[in-house]
Amino acid sequence: MNPPSLIFDCHLDISMNAMEFNRDQRWSLEKIRRCELSGGALPADAERHRARNTVCFPELRRGRIGIIVATQIARYASRFHNLPGWRSPEQAWAHTQGQLAYYRAMEGCGEMVQLRTWPEVEAHATRWQNATAEEAAKLPIGFLLSLEGADSILSWRHLEQSRADGLIALGPVHYGPGIYGHGTDDEGPMPPIGHELLKEMERLGIILDVTHLCDEGFWDALAHYQGPLWASHHNCRALADWNRQLTDEQIKVLVERGAVIGMAFDAIMMVHGWAHKRSRPEDFGLKIEKICEHIDHICQIAGNARHVGIGTDLDGGFGTEQTPMDLNSIADLVKIGPLLAARGYAQPDIDGLYHGNFFRFLREHLK
């Protein structure tokens, strides 16, 4: 089979790693790890993944991951909130603007380029697909902007500003309770302000990312939003029994609505029975092959291979202590193709997983 000329990753926390974990994404993987091994200002809750990062610009280029969805993320956490976050939504907004400033700085030095429309995505994809390995090593990483959790949206004027800044997708919630709804490990339908958010998103042409919506919130959101939707980084509950994952019924309705589901490479989202902060990939013999089971599961439900893609979430608050044993770098995504081919997947289906399915979605919905 042919190696991929281009991979699209629908969920990477590039700016969070730069701003919160102090990782210069221009450095090599080895240089970042060596720097962290020698000390440095990682937050206390990041000690588990010190020197275990998998993402940086050189590795993205080496793996032909030339277009990504890059996030902004900032949770509001009131004084007695169980999860970490900012003490006011205004602080959360300011933090997302700092993350946006990081992307602008990376554009300024030629490392990244923002893509806002389908023609821009198509043109950038063509550059990558026609580039030699030597040429790809110098190409900028194309990025589409998304917001994970909407706590930082202070008003509809702020949402309009974000749209003008190029925001193309938004997930209303993250973990636990949020201003606009209930996320992972929480429960309940969306509040009235959440319904208003969905209405404004639909008006502005912003894609709804259903990732992290609790079960009630998922069904409530789909009932109130008729625009385009995807699941940027979401696996199958049938294979990883946690409310963070999609049930078969949720997968069915996403397929009916034309969504694409991005496969995540966080071990806790790949296997049954992972104990957070205690389990190790070795305990499960976990390898990239496992993600093929999630891909198969979705394809069997859909009856085709048109609704699955990649949304790794790599370095999303974890590192190689919580990834498949044979994934040391995001460039190892190239291993998926041969694994799928061995299962009988044809080259067009593999290309669809690598980029084609999300590109078809964007061609239709990104104006």
Side-chain angles (χ1 to χ4, degrees):
M1 62 164 293
N2 301 323
S5 59
L6 175 65
I7 297 176
F8 175 85
D9 191 328
C10 196
H11 188 89
L12 284 174
D13 297 314
I14 296 293
S15 62
M16 183 186 80
N17 276 268
M19 304 295 286
E20 296 184 28
F21 303 148
N22 198 18
R23 290 169 171 164
D24 190 334
Q25 301 282 25
R26 297 171 296 182
W27 288 6
S28 69
L29 208 61
E30 180 182 5
K31 185 175 180 180
I32 294 172
R33 290 177 178 179
R34 286 183 178 276
C35 180
E36 292 183 3
L37 282 173
S38 64
L42 276 183
D45 61 356
E47 283 300 315
R48 289 185 307 113
H49 57 91
R50 177 182 291 274
R52 294 179 178 271
N53 60 302
T54 63
V55 179
C56 60
F57 294 152
E59 291 301 297
L60 287 171
R61 294 186 177 102
R62 186 169 71 87
R64 308 290 296 206
I65 303 140
I67 303 180
I68 66 174
V69 175
T71 67
Q72 297 168 282
I73 179 171
R75 180 193 293 114
Y76 161 58
S78 60
R79 182 178 177 186
F80 300 107
H81 203 291
N82 291 329
L83 296 169
W86 300 101
R87 294 304 185 213
S88 72
E90 288 77 11
Q91 288 169 276
W93 167 261
H95 191 66
T96 63
Q97 297 313 290
Q99 293 172 338
L100 180 61
Y102 173 78
Y103 292 132
R104 295 285 180 259
M106 291 300 98
E107 286 189 278
C109 61
E111 294 286 344
M112 304 182 79
V113 58
Q114 187 172 9
L115 310 174
R116 299 167 181 255
T117 66
W118 168 247
E120 291 176 352
V121 173
E122 186 175 36
H124 195 69
T126 299
R127 289 184 68 190
W128 271 88
Q129 290 168 323
N130 292 334
T132 65
E134 292 75 16
E135 291 167 341
K138 301 175 183 178
L139 286 178
I141 306 299
F143 76 98
L144 298 134
L145 191 64
S146 74
L147 177 64
E148 185 173 21
D151 288 352
S152 61
I153 299 298
L154 306 180
S155 69
W156 308 142
R157 177 176 57 81
H158 290 81
L159 184 63
E160 290 171 350
Q161 179 178 329
S162 294
R163 185 69 179 98
D165 287 331
L167 185 73
I168 65 112
L170 187 155
V173 297
H174 195 223
Y175 284 89
I179 293 173
Y180 294 98
H182 303 272
T184 300
D185 292 335
D186 200 17
E187 58 185 20
M190 299 185 77
I193 194 171
H195 296 157
E196 292 181 45
L197 172 68
L198 295 175
K199 181 179 179 181
E200 292 300 310
M201 287 172 58
E202 194 168 341
R203 176 178 68 85
L204 293 170
I206 298 174
I207 298 162
L208 169 63
D209 187 350
V210 302
T211 304
H212 282 296
L213 284 166
C214 72
D215 287 349
E216 288 179 83
F218 175 94
W219 295 111
D220 193 22
L222 266 60
H224 284 84
Y225 178 88
Q226 299 306 311
L229 48 86
W230 66 25
S232 64
H233 56 305
H234 230 149
N235 294 347
C236 307
R237 200 175 302 184
L239 299 171
D241 190 13
W242 176 31
N243 60 52
R244 168 69 177 78
Q245 311 315 319
L246 293 166
T247 67
D248 287 0
E249 288 302 312
Q250 290 172 329
I251 293 170
K252 288 176 185 176
V253 75
L254 289 175
V255 169
E256 291 168 0
R257 293 277 294 263
V260 181
I261 303 166
M263 298 291 91
F265 285 75
D266 183 346
I268 198 172
M269 293 192 273
M270 296 178 71
V271 296
H272 291 308
W274 183 277
H276 187 48
K277 296 185 179 181
R278 296 197 300 276
S279 291
R280 303 174 306 160
E282 294 82 357
D283 300 336
F284 298 84
L286 180 62
K287 294 188 175 183
I288 293 172
E289 175 73 28
K290 186 67 178 181
I291 208 69
C292 296
E293 295 181 27
H294 288 267
I295 293 168
D296 273 339
H297 191 78
I298 294 170
C299 292
Q300 292 301 319
I301 291 173
N304 57 61
R306 292 169 58 84
H307 296 275
V308 64
I310 292 173
T312 62
D313 196 24
L314 288 172
D315 291 359
F318 64 96
T320 54
E321 82 289 350
Q322 199 167 305
T323 67
M325 295 182 294
D326 51 346
L327 193 153
N328 179 63
S329 156
I330 193 168
D332 290 325
L333 294 180
V334 298
K335 297 177 181 179
I336 302 173
L339 292 171
L340 289 176
R343 288 172 172 256
Y345 281 79
Q347 187 71 52
D349 292 334
I350 295 170
D351 291 341
L353 170 83
Y354 275 142
H355 63 264
N357 292 334
F358 270 120
F359 280 7
R360 185 185 66 253
F361 179 95
L362 291 169
R363 184 184 301 113
E364 182 177 352
H365 298 295
L366 189 61
K367 308 302 181 184

